[in-house]
Amino acid sequence: MFRTRRKLRKRELFIPSLIVLSLIRIEEVGTIQPVPGLSGRAYKDLGDVNLGVFFAITKYDPQHLCGDELRFPLLQQYIEAIVYAVDEINRSPALLPNITLGYAIVDDCVKESAAVAQALRFLPRRNCTTMEINDNADQYDVVGVIGPERSDNSLAVSLVLGPVKIPQISFLSSSDELSNKDLHSYFLRMIPPDRQQVDAILTFIQAQKWTYVSIIFSAGSYGESAYLRFKQRAEAFGICLAVHRKTTLVMTSEEYVEIIEELLQKSKARVVVAFIGGEEMVRLFQQAHVMNVSKQFIWIGSDGWSERLTILPIEYQPSVYGSFSFQVSAREHSRFNDYFDSLRPNCTKNPWFQEFWEWAFDCSFKRRTCDDSQRISQSSKFYRLGLISKAIDTVYVYGHAMHNLIADKCPQATGEEASECIKKTGLLDYLRNVSFEGSSGYIQFDDNYNLKGHYEVRQNLPGNPLNLKPVCRIDLDNGTSISVLSNYTWEYVSYLGWPNVPPESVCSPPCGVNEYKVPDLVKCCWDCRECRKNEIVFQNGSSCQVCPKFNWPDPLANFTRCSLIESTSLLYTKGVVIFEMAAIALGLVTTVFVLIAFIYYKEASIIKAASRELSFLQLIAIMLGFVTILLYVLPPTDQICSVAYCLFCFSLNLLHAPLLVKAIRIYRIFLAPSKCARGLRFISPFSQVVISCLIVLGQILGS
């Protein structure tokens, strides 16, 4: 994290240094010198008051400042949306009457250096007025700029134009760094910052019960600041990171293979969040398709590539089926759709429109294979971009702010006077305080000069072009709410191919009933162990605790609390009780019969030889044992339980004490010489009874 912050700080120091050197050069020569390799094409129609516009139109070229081919052809919709809004304002009698609004749209070539070079063309110059600038000029006199598209380029442009008090509004740059008003006090934007997008993505992941995810992020402000926010906020949502990797525009295929192989090593983390741009997205999914891991991951894309999926070659598009992408929610603008459909390559000043047409219809104007009578919506590659209304409202923000400023400060100003009035007064405060109902919704900036917004989650499904199906909407304005718009389909991301079975992305499944977690090194990973029979799961499943005496784990509470053991008694109608009562009765009757027989034949020699008195004690003990069993059948009370316990012990001792005394008596008699047997002491019946009673008494006192 500290390394990332140092890199961000280096960029903040590098760009101002470049600006200072550029300004010194401008002071020396009095004008801006052409930059070798910088795109000289511009889409312009200058007026009394002009806006500068940045778009990343051509592809990134590591060898040159600008590439030759269109980077994202459908971006022409945003370019034409700016032109459409300017034309609408110029036709409106209610907004900037008698003042013509103009524009100059330039290409920043996906590079900070190119963006800075283009921004220098918008710097105010000494001894230069609006009337001195013609359509062929290399420098443009502007009161504000729109863009750029990429956050890194917006940061660079803000550091160039902010010090000279030229406001900047972007409807696509979302980096949190741009919210730092100490550095970017003249920057405003029409969308929420990335911190809200990160929270929206985490909310969506949490709603699907995914707790173990990986993240890929692009080098630069957009990806790195989003990663830092994601890492800081993930724990609050109960989410752990498995893999985090950074991409760059100059990475090789082998490096993308390394990223995917690392993701495969953490196979339990099936969800992969991608905060990357369109170029990196293409390289990533191309390699995923080559490695045949399309169904292995659930990709969740940020707004950096959500609208750029069409630049992915059609043979690689199956690798994105089932993935999700986030986009700021905005209304559709039907009037602009009709306007864009009416455009033809031979009826526009747009220098990139012919290339766009050739891409859309796979034709060539040089070979005369293009039919310019077609409508662009007839192309199989075409689909409507989602932030058209945001682009139009960006122009209207400038229109309303300039209208209010002129009405306050110079109500009679027109033409050059209006431009000078705006520059003299400063447009920033009026931009901050703009409020109106726009095409995309109600427009009003917050304290950080951002607009609040909602996020639309789309699932990318097969189609020609891709079917970007809205599945839910996430609102973070007042708390957090998720509105489901359509059912998800899982057939493109599930191992088993079951469309209605949500896949899992967890390091360890939840422990079962009566199991506790044994933590691993990663917070979301653990092993499960079972508690003992007399223990409950304690401290949110992290340990076990023994239940108190006379308590037992409650299965109805999933063994998370102890419950008092309830006393129960046998019912007299049950078969077991009936059998026991019959056995008790039979035993008592038999014992009483034997006792009567002993009393009746008490003088018989065999009964005398069996120690008649001790046998009487044993018969009494057997009778008491049957009575004890009867007490255990009765409903339990403290008194019955006490009597049953004492009677059980007494009857058992009374049964075994005479038996012990008998054995000792016989042993002594057989051990003594026959002549001396009659002289043995304590072998009389009375002595034997006394000894037995003493043994029983000792047992009672000892217990």
Side-chain angles (χ1 to χ4, degrees), residues 378-555:
Q378 294 174 327
S379 169
S380 61
K381 299 180 181 179
F382 178 79
Y383 67 86
R384 309 285 182 190
L385 297 184
L387 297 181
I388 295 296
S389 57
K390 290 285 186 182
I392 292 172
D393 283 343
T394 305
V395 180
Y396 269 90
V397 167
Y398 273 114
H400 282 281
M402 288 189 286
H403 182 88
N404 295 337
L405 184 152
I406 293 170
D408 286 348
K409 302 297 182 180
C410 42
Q412 305 301 321
T414 59
E416 179 186 351
E417 296 176 0
S419 178
E420 292 301 322
C421 177
I422 293 170
K423 293 176 186 177
K424 181 179 179 181
T425 305
L427 194 56
L428 181 62
D429 290 337
Y430 286 88
L431 289 171
R432 292 174 183 171
N433 296 318
V434 157
S435 60
F436 63 96
E437 187 64 37
S439 302
S440 61
Y442 189 71
I443 307 298
Q444 187 173 29
F445 294 103
D446 62 17
D447 295 338
N448 289 320
Y449 318 152
N450 305 317
L451 282 191
K452 295 181 179 179
H454 317 293
Y455 287 93
E456 186 177 82
V457 185
R458 303 169 179 175
Q459 190 169 28
N460 308 309
L461 301 175
N464 190 17
L466 279 173
N467 177 18
L468 308 181
K469 176 185 175 184
V471 291
C472 72
R473 189 169 181 264
I474 300 178
D475 184 1
L476 301 175
D477 284 350
N478 301 309
T480 301
S481 65
I482 300 182
S483 305
V484 177
L485 306 177
S486 181
N487 293 328
Y488 314 140
T489 178
W490 304 111
E491 62 181 302
Y492 302 104
V493 293
S494 174
Y495 287 120
L496 302 176
W498 294 342
N500 297 321
V501 179
E504 289 186 342
S505 185
V506 296
C507 184
S508 299
C511 290
V513 176
N514 202 32
E515 291 182 338
Y516 69 99
K517 299 176 183 177
V518 179
D520 201 347
L521 294 177
V522 180
K523 186 174 182 180
C524 293
C525 303
W526 57 77
D527 291 326
C528 294
R529 305 282 176 82
E530 189 174 4
C531 293
R532 295 184 179 89
K533 298 298 182 182
N534 65 331
E535 293 178 335
I536 59 170
V537 180
F538 189 58
Q539 291 182 342
N540 198 26
S542 61
S543 63
C544 298
Q545 185 182 51
V546 178
C547 285
K549 190 176 181 181
F550 301 123
N551 285 262
W552 199 253
D554 187 355

Side-chain angles (χ1 to χ4, degrees), residues 259-293:
I259 290 178
I260 294 176
E261 287 178 345
E262 187 173 353
L263 293 174
L264 290 171
Q265 290 174 4
K266 300 286 187 178
S267 58
K268 292 182 178 180
R270 296 195 60 196
V271 172
V272 181
V273 178
F275 261 94
I276 56 179
E279 292 81 0
E280 294 123 307
M281 177 270 297
V282 171
R283 301 285 301 282
L284 179 66
F285 284 124
Q286 282 179 342
Q287 201 57 54
H289 182 83
V290 170
M291 297 176 68
N292 195 26
V293 294

Side-chain angles (χ1 to χ4, degrees), residues 651-700:
S651 62
L652 196 64
N653 289 327
L654 190 60
L655 177 64
H656 290 90
L659 189 63
L660 177 64
V661 171
K662 282 184 185 182
I664 294 173
R665 178 174 174 270
I666 294 172
Y667 174 77
R668 291 177 65 204
I669 291 174
F670 280 98
L671 187 65
S674 57
K675 295 181 179 181
C676 300
R678 293 182 178 275
L680 292 175
R681 302 176 62 186
F682 305 119
I683 60 172
S684 65
F686 178 77
S687 300
Q688 297 294 302
V689 171
V690 171
I691 292 172
S692 298
C693 291
L694 289 175
I695 292 173
V696 172
L697 181 62
Q699 287 288 332
I700 293 173

Side-chain angles (χ1 to χ4, degrees), residues 4-211:
T4 300
R5 285 178 176 171
R6 284 199 299 269
K7 288 182 178 179
L8 296 179
R9 180 59 60 187
K10 281 182 180 179
R11 182 168 63 247
E12 290 173 357
L13 295 174
F14 168 75
I15 297 296
S17 302
L18 178 62
I19 297 167
V20 170
L21 293 174
S22 301
L23 292 176
I24 292 173
R25 180 62 177 160
I26 293 169
E27 287 292 328
E28 290 176 353
V29 301
T31 185
I32 299 174
Q33 299 301 307
V35 178
L38 184 66
S39 174
R41 288 190 289 181
Y43 187 4
K44 56 190 176 182
D45 187 5
L46 302 179
D48 301 324
V49 180
N50 300 304
L51 297 176
V53 186
F54 296 85
F55 282 109
I57 300 171
T58 54
K59 285 185 177 180
Y60 178 87
D61 188 338
Q63 305 299 327
H64 303 91
L65 189 59
C66 289
D68 296 324
E69 299 179 11
L70 293 183
R71 165 178 169 261
F72 177 45
L74 289 175
L75 192 71
Q76 298 300 312
Q77 293 179 73
Y78 288 148
I79 294 174
E80 292 297 340
I82 300 294
V83 176
Y84 172 83
V86 170
D87 290 343
E88 266 199 341
I89 291 175
N90 286 336
R91 292 195 303 268
S92 171
L95 203 59
L96 295 177
N98 302 318
I99 297 174
T100 303
L101 183 61
Y103 57 86
I105 303 174
V106 297
D107 180 13
D108 66 24
C109 309
V110 204
K111 291 184 177 179
E112 295 171 73
S113 54
V116 169
Q118 295 286 24
L120 295 177
R121 301 169 71 179
F122 298 135
L123 286 177
R125 293 163 304 284
R126 296 175 301 171
N127 303 322
C128 179
T129 65
T130 304
M131 298 303 293
E132 294 170 340
I133 296 174
N134 56 58
D135 287 349
N136 296 318
D138 192 44
Q139 302 173 34
Y140 306 104
D141 187 27
V142 300
V143 296
V145 297
I146 295 173
E149 173 188 353
R150 298 179 71 249
S151 294
D152 288 334
N153 292 6
S154 286
L155 286 164
V157 170
S158 173
L159 293 172
V160 173
L161 301 181
V164 293
K165 300 182 179 180
I166 295 180
Q168 174 187 356
I169 305 178
S170 177
F171 63 94
L172 292 170
S173 298
S174 54
S175 171
D176 287 325
E177 281 192 78
L178 290 163
S179 296
N180 183 353
K181 294 310 166 189
D182 292 333
L183 289 174
H184 309 288
S185 57
Y186 278 77
F187 179 85
L188 304 89
R189 58 181 151 204
M190 303 292 289
I191 56 174
D194 275 339
R195 63 177 178 272
Q196 292 192 23
Q197 183 177 190
V198 168
D199 287 351
I201 291 175
L202 288 169
T203 299
F204 177 74
I205 292 173
Q206 185 185 53
Q208 312 312 314
K209 299 181 180 178
W210 296 326
T211 58

